[in-house]
Amino acid sequence: MNLEITIGVDVPELISADVVVVGSGPAGSAAALQLAKAGLDVVVVEEGSYQKPETYKESTFQAFANLYRDMGATITSGSAPMPYLQGRAVGGTSVVNGAISWRLPRDVYDGWVAEDPAIGEAFDWETMESALDEVEANLNIKPTGPEVAGPNNLLMAKGADAMGLEHRPIRRNVRGCQGLGRCLQGCPNGNKASMERSYLVWAQEAGARIISQARVERIETRPNGVIATDANGRQFRVRADRVVVAASAIQSPLLLMKSGLKQGPVGEHFQAHPGVSMAGYFPQKINVWQGATQGHEVIGLRKEGIKFEALGFDRTVAATRLKSVGSEFNADLETLDHWAHWGAAIRAETQGRVRRGFTGPRVSYNLIQSDIAKIRRGLAVLAEMMLLAGADYVTPGIHGFDAVVSTIERARAIEEEAPLDAKCYAAVMTHMFGTCRMGSNPKTSVVDTNFEHHHARGVYVVDSSVFPTNTGVNPQTSIIALATIAGRVIARRFSTRPKAAL
Amino acid sequence: MRARWFAFELAWLSAWCSAVLGSERVIRPSFWTTFSKAAPWPLFWGLRACVWGLNLARLLPQNWRRTREALVTRWNGGNYLQRQMVMTVKVVACFDYFDADEP
């Protein structure tokens, strides 16, 4: 299942294609597959490199250095900066995510259509469901089996039962998972159905060409195409009648802005799912680095905008989550195998923006009070759930609240007594949306309901930046489904519209 | 954007990492080489600022004669900036510490 990749430095100064796809993550790969299957000459350009699974190291540091954008040190600006993690590799973030798969919830889709009925006319719910079914079949999406779950996941089920909250094994895109707990460092057995082992392979089999280690700097219009830079700093051009942008909700608006496509709310309406975690000390060994990385979830509060997941970390991340430093930390390291980690992801109403910064994107994001209250509630539920699952004590990691909580009463008090100040929480940004939102009105959206830029014919955006809102659930399956629909729309329009002069 | 660290700065970093980890450690050259190449400039310079900031803090009257470990313990529960500085060093220390296990 190896890909044939052309490295940027080996690409001539000018190449041509029918379509150039910017980014090889879930959106780019899915769109590329549909376009190639339609018989179009497709070139995918990816900034990251291609690495075979057997080269993935267990060390989080090595993974961050080799597979993550800016070594995972990308952070938002604002009163309480938050890190946001993005993959930078052939396959995009799918290489390093937890393989969690969720269908787009019907209530989220209905919300989009209620705000702009043109979205429902462009693709109705049946079309969306059909695309979601297709993704689930293609990626072997199934619930995590108990044989690979491991104690961290199984204890979450116990805690949720004790609280009477709805829960279930997480549905994941894996084949033959052995529960190594290394999803976030890239699966060394290649058992995760990430894009470079699925959609991108199929796109190449359908004729798509893939270029790695080349950063697209600018989109050109009339004639259409992109200018990319290889690892040596040399520029080359890809001329293509259609440009499909799938570089993520951070990078896609930045690319449009760098290309002079600043019309509409590009970079605005940035939404995400801020996540916080709870660490709990159990009398038995948990070995949080073993078992399915993220194999169980609690969904009873999803309608409130809070979702809980078990978090499998390697020792590095588990250690940084310990509250202590110095000799106390050194002693805590000896008990690292007794700590469980669970997280809460918030469907935040906060909207931020992405702008061009000094050397890259500048993401402004300031959590509003109602979202901080949701974080507080999420942490309170996590603490109670962990204690009911048998934890001796938990460490909420909230500045200004008890460092250690060992009673249900104090766990519940988090919701009322923890400070409503974002600086007091160690939140991490996950799942990003909305910065090139889709819609029928060019004043309030960047692309139309055919995914085409309102002001640049032949330029399309197909990743999560077109989502009108966040989803409250892990978005990879929805991203692939929507990009599949987009790829079909673009292919159909390609054959029915005259090509721009090359 | 990416000026090399002086040897004394690396020694300071090792000392602060040791203080955070609560054990004697020296940042491994192989780790530092990879880190220097991979770290984006805000992290590269941010870490440098943390190391200088922690060192300068030890010169303040209230911290005079305080051990490094005592200072990071105090700052770990301090204001937002102090906590972030300790956390930055802690992350780098853990990166190095746990990366050393793997060939």
Side-chain angles (χ1 to χ4, degrees), chain B residues 9-79:
Chain B
E9 288 176 303
L10 271 174
W12 284 349
L13 175 63
S14 286
W16 286 112
C17 287
S18 296
V20 166
L21 293 175
S23 67
E24 279 303 311
R25 271 191 77 78
V26 176
I27 291 285
R28 292 168 305 123
S30 61
F31 168 81
W32 187 248
T33 303
T34 308
F35 181 88
S36 306
K37 283 181 188 163
W41 70 268
L43 175 59
F44 196 74
W45 282 95
L47 178 63
R48 199 172 206 164
C50 291
V51 167
W52 277 87
L54 285 160
N55 271 332
L56 291 173
R58 287 187 78 201
L59 302 178
L60 297 174
Q62 64 266 38
N63 295 326
W64 190 245
R65 290 190 179 171
R66 202 186 286 274
T67 64
R68 284 190 172 90
E69 185 177 328
L71 183 63
V72 292
T73 303
R74 183 181 156 93
W75 277 27
N76 195 37
N79 65 35

Side-chain angles (χ1 to χ4, degrees), chain A residues 436-450:
Chain A
C436 303
R437 70 192 334 204
M438 171 197 291
S440 53
N441 184 347
K443 287 183 181 167
T444 58
S445 58
V446 176
V447 297
D448 64 22
T449 52
N450 287 312

Side-chain angles (χ1 to χ4, degrees), chain A residues 345-368:
Chain A
I346 307 300
R347 188 179 185 198
E349 292 168 42
T350 302
Q351 296 202 0
R353 59 156 56 165
V354 177
R355 283 281 174 266
R356 288 181 74 179
F358 183 44
T359 58
R362 188 164 60 83
V363 184
S364 313
Y365 193 81
N366 285 299
L367 278 170
I368 59 175

Side-chain angles (χ1 to χ4, degrees), chain A residues 144-448:
Chain A
T144 304
E147 69 282 2
V148 295
N152 192 43
N153 292 308
L154 296 174
L155 280 169
M156 180 174 242
K158 186 181 171 189
D161 274 337
M163 282 191 78
L165 289 171
E166 186 184 355
H167 64 95
R168 65 181 191 184
I170 289 178
R171 296 168 62 78
R172 298 181 306 146
N173 50 298
V174 297
R175 290 190 180 90
C177 173
Q178 295 169 343
L180 295 181
R182 286 171 61 174
C183 282
L184 308 185
Q185 300 104 293
C187 180
N189 292 341
N191 290 334
K192 183 165 33 166
S194 43
M195 293 303 106
E196 85 290 3
R197 303 190 62 76
S198 56
Y199 276 76
L200 212 49
V201 177
W202 305 328
Q204 185 167 73
E205 286 167 358
R209 291 174 279 166
I210 301 159
I211 299 170
S212 71
Q213 296 175 60
R215 180 181 172 82
V216 172
E217 303 290 353
R218 203 154 63 87
I219 298 166
E220 292 186 307
T221 51
R222 298 179 188 170
N224 287 354
V226 299
I227 296 176
T229 305
D230 69 21
N232 294 335
R234 177 192 65 104
Q235 288 197 332
F236 64 89
R237 260 192 178 82
V238 184
R239 283 274 165 80
D241 194 47
R242 301 286 189 267
V243 177
V244 175
V245 181
S248 83
I250 304 283
Q251 301 298 327
S252 291
L254 184 72
L255 179 60
L256 293 181
M257 285 184 259
K258 282 163 70 180
S259 307
L261 300 172
K262 298 173 183 170
Q263 304 93 334
V266 62
E268 303 287 338
H269 305 297
F270 172 78
Q271 284 201 301
H273 300 148
V276 287
S277 71
M278 179 72 63
Y281 180 87
F282 283 78
Q284 71 273 36
K285 284 191 176 178
I286 306 295
N287 290 333
V288 74
W289 45 87
Q290 291 173 355
T293 302
Q294 293 185 269
H296 208 85
E297 62 189 352
V298 178
I299 55 177
L301 300 182
R302 188 185 74 78
K303 289 282 167 70
E304 284 184 34
I306 310 173
K307 187 173 154 307
F308 305 96
E309 297 161 359
L311 301 171
F313 295 137
D314 94 317
R315 290 170 179 82
T316 314
V317 182
T320 56
R321 183 60 184 75
L322 293 171
K323 63 177 174 46
S324 50
V325 293
S327 44
E328 189 188 343
F329 177 76
N330 198 261
D332 283 345
L333 277 183
E334 297 297 317
T335 65
L336 205 55
D337 47 5
H338 285 257
W339 288 87
H341 296 268
W342 301 346
I346 307 300
R347 188 179 185 198
E349 292 168 42
T350 302
Q351 296 202 0
R353 59 156 56 165
V354 177
R355 283 281 174 266
R356 288 181 74 179
F358 183 44
T359 58
R362 188 164 60 83
V363 184
S364 313
Y365 193 81
N366 285 299
L367 278 170
I368 59 175
Q369 294 271 295
S370 60
D371 287 333
I372 301 171
K374 273 188 203 169
I375 285 176
R376 252 179 12 173
R377 172 147 169 73
L379 285 168
V381 172
L382 279 175
E384 186 173 346
M385 205 158 43
M386 271 191 167
L387 292 172
L388 289 172
D392 287 346
Y393 58 90
V394 300
T395 55
I398 305 169
H399 186 71
F401 191 78
D402 307 1
V404 172
V405 170
S406 56
T407 64
I408 299 291
E409 187 189 24
R410 289 310 294 158
R412 288 179 181 162
I414 292 173
E415 194 173 347
E416 298 299 327
E417 295 179 21
L420 276 173
D421 177 356
K423 285 191 177 80
C424 296
Y425 300 84
V428 175
M429 189 80 84
T430 64
H431 313 148
M432 292 157 277
F433 310 86
T435 47
C436 303
R437 70 192 334 204
M438 171 197 291
S440 53
N441 184 347
K443 287 183 181 167
T444 58
S445 58
V446 176
V447 297
D448 64 22

